[in-house]
Amino acid sequence: MRIIPESELVINADGSAFHLHLKPEQLADRIVLVGDPSRVTTVASYFDSKECEVSSREFHTITGTYKGKRITVVSHGIGTDNIDIVLNELDALANIDFATRTVKPQFRQLTLVRVGTSGGLQPFTPVGTYVAAEKSIGFDGVLYFYANSGKVRDKEYEEELIKQLDWKLTGLFPYVVSADHSLIEQITRDDIIRGVTIAANGFYGPQGRELRLPLTDPELNRKIEAFDYNGSRITNFEMESSSLAGLSALMGHRAMTVCCIIAGRVNKNMNTEYKGSILNLIETVLDRI
């Protein structure tokens, strides 16, 4: 049996995971993920009870109960690189024996729902809309570092993207992964659109925002908005859904992302006062997870 070296799985002196500072017994099977550490406090304000709270860097965690369900809420910060850290450490907490540094014989499946904010790319995803990423398009490359990524990627969709977007970014190719179907069925109703979400590896250039630096392909957003593959349209931009869906699928966990649209990229409008909308989405996810 493989013993995972100290340099690969870093465990703190108190027995907690290196970045999250969580201990295995502090993790619930149901996990709500948010970007902003302060939003963890907001989510946990709905809990009936709290059993632990841990903060380290941008990673803030509270585990408690909501209507009889044990739930952990974790902040991941911004970007797919942070999702790589959080997913690997959550999986390690669930499926690696920290005492022996070996994989546990019985797999523990986690259910993860990321609640975030996003920019809408279609007239039918205006500000205030809730969009679940039924499919995610990764502009980040994280999944390519893991073996067997082809098993969870939609290669036909990827080929169509390259073709229709007339892809001009050399050395970087988008990948496409699906969220867990059973979890999409569980979380989405008529109040949440099922869409196709791009996870960009940046907020400005990678999402077509031009400030002082020119873009490699100034027409990329227009082509994204026009993309149509068997009736499938790209609905929104955010920065985490692809690595969450892809890594979770490879690991065997159930995961999805649902976002509140706060920016209309087509109409070029923005709602910075979106707290009420995100609160309703948080309650919805807590009720359904």
Side-chain angles (χ1 to χ4, degrees), residues 135-240:
K135 281 187 180 295
S136 293
I137 299 169
F139 280 6
D140 56 283
V142 166
L143 204 61
Y144 291 127
F145 287 87
Y146 293 90
N148 304 313
S149 70
K151 292 182 178 179
V152 300
R153 288 167 34 217
D154 187 334
K155 295 182 180 179
E156 291 184 3
Y157 206 111
E158 291 172 0
E159 291 173 2
E160 194 64 26
L161 275 171
I162 297 296
K163 177 183 175 182
Q164 288 196 36
L165 301 186
D166 185 23
W167 195 253
K168 297 183 184 301
L169 280 72
T170 58
L172 174 67
F173 295 96
Y175 63 88
V176 180
V177 290
S178 296
D180 182 86
H181 178 71
S182 67
L183 190 55
I184 289 285
E185 291 289 327
Q186 179 179 328
I187 299 296
T188 63
R189 311 278 168 81
D190 292 342
D191 51 352
I192 299 175
I193 290 174
R194 299 184 185 186
V196 178
T197 299
I198 290 178
N201 56 354
F203 183 79
Y204 291 96
Q207 294 187 40
R209 291 182 171 94
E210 187 172 356
L211 303 184
R212 287 202 315 115
L213 295 178
L215 303 175
T216 298
D217 185 359
E219 294 298 308
L220 182 57
N221 272 21
R222 180 191 60 77
K223 291 181 285 187
I224 287 170
E225 292 160 13
F227 178 86
D228 188 329
Y229 178 47
N230 295 330
S232 177
R233 306 293 297 275
I234 299 172
T235 49
N236 57 314
F237 264 129
E238 50 88 80
M239 295 180 64
E240 292 86 17

Side-chain angles (χ1 to χ4, degrees), residues 29-33 109-114 132-134 178-189 192 194 244-245 248 253-258 285 288-289:
D29 290 341
R30 295 180 177 93
I31 301 167
V32 174
L33 297 167
Q109 186 181 61
L110 303 176
T111 295
L112 308 106
V113 179
R114 183 181 112 70
E134 191 167 32
S178 296
D180 182 86
H181 178 71
S182 67
L183 190 55
I184 289 285
E185 291 289 327
Q186 179 179 328
I187 299 296
T188 63
R189 311 278 168 81
I192 299 175
R194 299 184 185 186
L244 174 61
S248 295
H253 301 304
R254 304 168 70 228
M256 63 170 284
T257 292
V258 58
V285 168
R288 297 175 187 176
I289 193 173

